[in-house]
Amino acid sequence: MTPTKGTRLVRPHTARRNALPRLLGSLLLIAAAGFSGACAVPEASAADSDAAARTLRPLGQVVPAPVSVRAGGDPFLLTPDAGIMTTPSSGEAREIGEYLADVLRPSTGFALPVTDKDAGGGIRLRIDPRAGALGAEGYSLTSRSDTVTITARKAAGLFHGVQTLRQLFPARVEHDSPQKGPWRVAGGTITDTPRYAYRGAMLDVSRHFFSVDEVKRYIDQIAQYKINTFHIHLSDDQGWRIAMDSWPRLATYGGSTEVGGGPGGYYTKAQYKEIVRYAASRYLEVVPEIDMPGHTNAALASYAELNCDGVAPPLYTGIKVGFSSLCAGKDVTYDFIDDVLREVAALTPGRYLHIGGDEAHSTSHEDYVTIMDRAQAVVGKYGKTVMGWHQLTGADPVKGAVAQYWGYDKTSAADRQQVVDAAKNGTKLVLSPADRIYLDMKYTDQTELGLKWAGLVEVRRSYDWNPGTYLAGAPEEAVLGVEAPIWTETLDDSDDIDAMAFPRLPGAAELAWSPASTHDWDTYKVRLAALGERFTAQGIDYYRSPQVPWPASETNGG
C-alpha cells in the first residue's frame, strides 16, 4: 500500500465531479425540474433578476483572453427544461457533455440531460471535422437567446470551449449546492485558438508527497484555464514517488520521507496510470520527470551500488540542492537509467520524458555530458522525446530535444547565450522563468509560504512579460510554449498549493494561450478580478493581491 499522509482530509476536486458524480446525476434526473424542501434552489426575485441582468458578464471577459469576440444579440438563458446536445455517435463529445452537466447541475438544480438528439433549446456541443481553421485545440462559441453552441474540429477544442462557457455563467455556478439564478450568457460569438502548442503546469510531488486525489484536484484546476500539459516531478533528493519493478527500494525506501521528515509516500503503477488517465480526461498530456544526474539522493540512499564509493547516504529531508550525483564511471548507473526510463515510458502514453539535468553542482562537466548524452539515447530508445531543464544545452541536445528554461534576472549572460545558441540550432524551448512564473516564489516579504531565491513575484510581474521576446536572440519559432512550475519545499497540502498558484496560474495560462495583441495588464487585471468570486465558490483560498481590483466581497474575505 502507498503510505498515506496521516489523517489529513483531502478536499474534493475543484470540479466536484469525482466523489459521487453518477449518484448526484441520477438524483438530479429524478428531480428533473429541481429540488424540494431543504435542497430547493432558492427562488430568484425580480430584484435578483434585474441585478443579474445588470451584471451580465461581457462575452470577452474571460481568462485566457480569446482571439476574437463579436458581442451582440440577446443573451442566452439556461432554463430548467434545457438539455445538453452532443454530436451524434461521438463518444468524446458525449463525455464532454457529461462533464459539463456535472459542473452545472449542483448549482442550478437543473436535470440537464445529455443527448445526441436535437431537443430544441439548450447547449449544443459539436465536433465538426470541417472546421479546419480551428486547428486541434480551437473552438467557436455562439450564444443566442435559446442556445449556446460550441463547435470544434477536435475534442480538445470542445473541452476548451466548455471552460470558456463556465466563466461566462455567473460565478455562483461553481458552487456545489443550489444557488439562485438566472443563468445567463451574453450574446455573440467567440472564435479562439491557442498561441502556443505547449501550455504547461508542473507539480513537484518529491519535496512533499501529494495523494492521487490532491493531484487530481490540481489537474481540475489547471484544465479550467486551457493548460494542456501536466508535468509531474517524480524524483528528487527528498523522495522517489513512483514504484519501479526493477528497483523496488526506490519507492519503498527512497519514498518513505519528505521535507521536514514526514511519512512521504509513492504512487503504485496503478495509481500513476490513474493520474495519467484522469489527466487525459481533462485533455492534459502527462510529462513525467526523473531527475538526473543531480537531485538523486533518494535513489542513492536506496541502492549503495549507485554511489561511486559504494556507500549509501542517509535519506534527506532538507531543502538544499546540488550535493548529490549519479556515478558516471559505473555501468550500473546506465542499467539504472535504462530500467527506470523504460518502466516510466511504458506507463506514459505522452510524447515526452523529462530527464531533469539542473543543479548538478557535484557532477563534473565531463561526467554531466556523459550521463545526459546516454540518458537522451535511452529516451529515444523507448520512443519518447527528450525534455530537460535548460542546463541540458550544456551537453549535446539530441535532435528534437526540448529545453525548459528556468533562468531569472541573475542568470549569467553566458548561460542565457548557451540556451539561445541551442535554440538557433533547432532545440525547442519551454519557458519557465523563475522570477516570473515559479508559483512557489513569495509574493511579498510578508508571504508566509514559498521561497524568494529568484526574487519576490507579485501578480503583475508574473503576468507582464512576453514569451516570444523573453530570451533575446532566440528565434521566436523556437518557443514551444510556457510552463508554470510549483515546487513544494514549503507546501504540503492542497490549501498551500491554492495560496501560491492562485491568482498567478491563470496569468501563466493566458501567456501561453492568448495572442500577444491581447496582452495588457490594465485590462487583464479586471478580468482576473472577476475570477475572485469563482475561486471562492470553488473553495480556493487565493492571495488577494492589492494590485488587482477584487470585488469588495472578496477583499473583505467574503
Side-chain angles (χ1 to χ4, degrees):
M1 296 293 291
T2 301
T4 60
K5 303 180 82 170
T7 58
R8 177 185 300 154
L9 295 177
V10 179
R11 299 199 317 219
H13 311 148
T14 301
R16 311 176 313 271
R17 282 17 114 198
N18 306 291
L20 293 171
R22 298 303 174 208
L23 175 59
L24 178 60
S26 298
L27 290 172
L28 287 165
L29 286 169
I30 292 171
F35 293 90
S36 61
C39 293
V41 178
E43 186 173 338
S45 66
D48 291 329
S49 297
D50 290 343
R54 289 194 301 272
T55 59
L56 186 67
R57 190 166 192 182
L59 196 64
Q61 294 298 300
V62 296
V63 178
V67 171
S68 170
V69 178
R70 290 179 299 161
D74 293 333
F76 166 74
L77 174 65
L78 187 69
T79 60
D81 59 350
I84 298 175
M85 294 152 280
T86 65
T87 302
S89 304
S90 172
E92 288 181 303
R94 186 171 185 88
E95 287 177 3
I96 294 169
E98 294 287 357
Y99 167 91
L100 177 59
D102 283 345
V103 172
L104 300 177
R105 284 169 179 157
S107 54
T108 65
F110 299 163
L112 296 173
V114 180
T115 176
D116 61 5
K117 295 180 172 56
D118 193 335
I123 300 170
R124 302 185 184 200
L125 304 179
R126 299 173 58 243
I127 295 178
D128 184 354
R130 298 168 299 178
L134 296 176
E137 295 189 278
Y139 67 92
S140 67
L141 183 154
T142 299
S143 173
R144 298 189 176 96
S145 60
D146 59 342
T147 59
V148 166
T149 302
I150 302 174
T151 302
R153 188 170 72 87
K154 297 284 189 179
L158 197 64
F159 184 81
H160 298 323
V162 161
Q163 304 313 318
T164 295
L165 179 60
R166 285 176 73 169
Q167 285 192 41
L168 291 172
F169 279 116
R172 57 189 180 276
V173 82
E174 300 292 346
H175 281 279
D176 58 5
S177 60
Q179 304 293 310
K180 291 181 180 180
W183 306 103
R184 297 183 186 274
V185 173
T189 297
I190 291 173
T191 304
D192 207 5
T193 55
R195 179 180 184 184
Y196 291 115
Y198 187 110
R199 306 181 304 281
M202 189 213 78
L203 177 63
D204 168 24
V205 298
S206 294
R207 272 47 178 269
H208 279 97
F209 179 69
F210 292 84
S211 71
V212 172
D213 276 347
E214 288 173 310
V215 173
K216 286 181 174 180
R217 183 177 191 272
Y218 197 54
I219 286 170
D220 274 328
Q221 290 174 338
I222 65 179
Q224 289 184 51
Y225 300 98
K226 304 180 178 69
I227 296 292
N228 68 353
T229 307
F230 177 58
H231 174 181
I232 184 167
H233 184 77
L234 290 168
S235 69
D236 215 296
D237 291 316
Q238 298 85 353
W240 187 283
R241 304 305 183 198
I242 184 169
M244 296 281 100
D245 295 337
S246 54
W247 300 76
R249 275 175 57 83
L250 291 172
T252 58
Y253 184 69
S256 64
T257 191
E258 61 185 7
V259 168
Y266 65 89
Y267 308 115
T268 65
K269 286 191 169 183
Q271 288 173 324
Y272 176 76
K273 287 193 287 187
E274 172 58 17
I275 289 170
V276 171
R277 182 208 64 79
Y278 192 82
S281 76
R282 274 47 176 167
Y283 293 88
L284 288 152
E285 179 178 358
V286 171
V287 177
E289 181 183 352
I290 302 296
D291 212 339
M292 61 184 79
H295 290 284
T296 47
N297 193 80
L300 300 174
S302 301
Y303 287 96
E305 61 266 38
L306 293 176
N307 297 270
C308 287
D309 61 4
V311 178
L315 294 169
Y316 183 68
T317 60
I319 63 171
K320 292 181 179 179
V321 300
F323 62 88
S324 60
S325 180
L326 294 174
C327 187
K330 281 190 166 184
D331 290 341
V332 69
T333 295
Y334 306 104
D335 293 338
F336 165 79
I337 291 172
D338 192 288
D339 287 338
V340 168
L341 295 184
R342 168 177 48 80
E343 290 195 48
V344 174
L347 294 169
T348 308
R351 293 164 287 177
Y352 303 105
L353 279 186
H354 201 301
I355 55 174
D358 62 322
E359 297 175 322
H361 306 320
S362 296
T363 312
S364 71
H365 176 71
E366 180 182 7
D367 286 351
Y368 180 87
V369 172
T370 297
I371 292 172
M372 295 308 283
D373 285 357
R374 292 188 66 169
Q376 289 184 88
V378 173
V379 172
K381 174 182 173 181
Y382 294 114
K384 302 298 183 182
T385 297
V386 170
M387 280 195 73
W389 299 104
H390 72 260
Q391 285 81 2
L392 177 66
T393 60
D396 301 301
V398 297
K399 184 178 181 180
V402 178
Q404 185 169 359
Y405 182 80
W406 61 272
Y408 59 117
D409 282 354
K410 294 182 180 179
T411 298
S412 71
D415 285 348
R416 283 177 177 257
Q417 191 60 47
Q418 178 177 281
V419 178
V420 169
D421 290 344
K424 289 178 177 177
N425 288 326
T427 298
K428 293 294 186 181
L429 303 178
V430 168
L431 300 180
S432 301
D435 57 347
R436 298 287 184 171
I437 55 171
Y438 264 31
L439 301 180
D440 54 295
M441 290 296 105
K442 290 177 177 288
Y443 297 96
T444 71
D445 273 323
Q446 287 70 50
T447 305
E448 180 181 355
L449 300 169
L451 301 172
K452 59 178 183 178
W453 56 262
L456 302 173
V457 184
E458 249 287 7
V459 176
R460 179 169 185 170
R461 179 170 180 80
S462 185
Y463 173 81
D464 217 0
W465 60 284
N466 181 359
T469 59
Y470 178 77
L471 269 179
E476 188 162 355
E477 61 271 17
V479 179
L480 186 62
V482 176
E483 181 178 291
I486 190 162
W487 301 97
T488 61
E489 289 95 336
T490 68
L491 316 180
D492 68 1
D493 60 21
S494 288
D495 288 336
D496 292 347
I497 292 173
D498 287 355
M500 301 306 285
F502 293 92
R504 291 181 291 196
L505 176 71
E510 176 152 311
L511 290 170
W513 177 279
S514 302
S517 61
T518 66
H519 189 93
D520 177 72
W521 167 253
D522 288 332
T523 57
Y524 171 71
K525 69 182 180 183
V526 174
R527 289 182 287 112
L528 178 61
L531 293 179
E533 293 177 275
R534 198 168 301 270
F535 296 154
T536 298
Q538 294 178 336
I540 297 173
D541 189 10
Y542 64 98
Y543 166 61
R544 273 75 167 174
S545 169
Q547 297 180 339
V548 180
W550 307 108
S553 60
E554 295 300 303
T555 56
N556 294 332

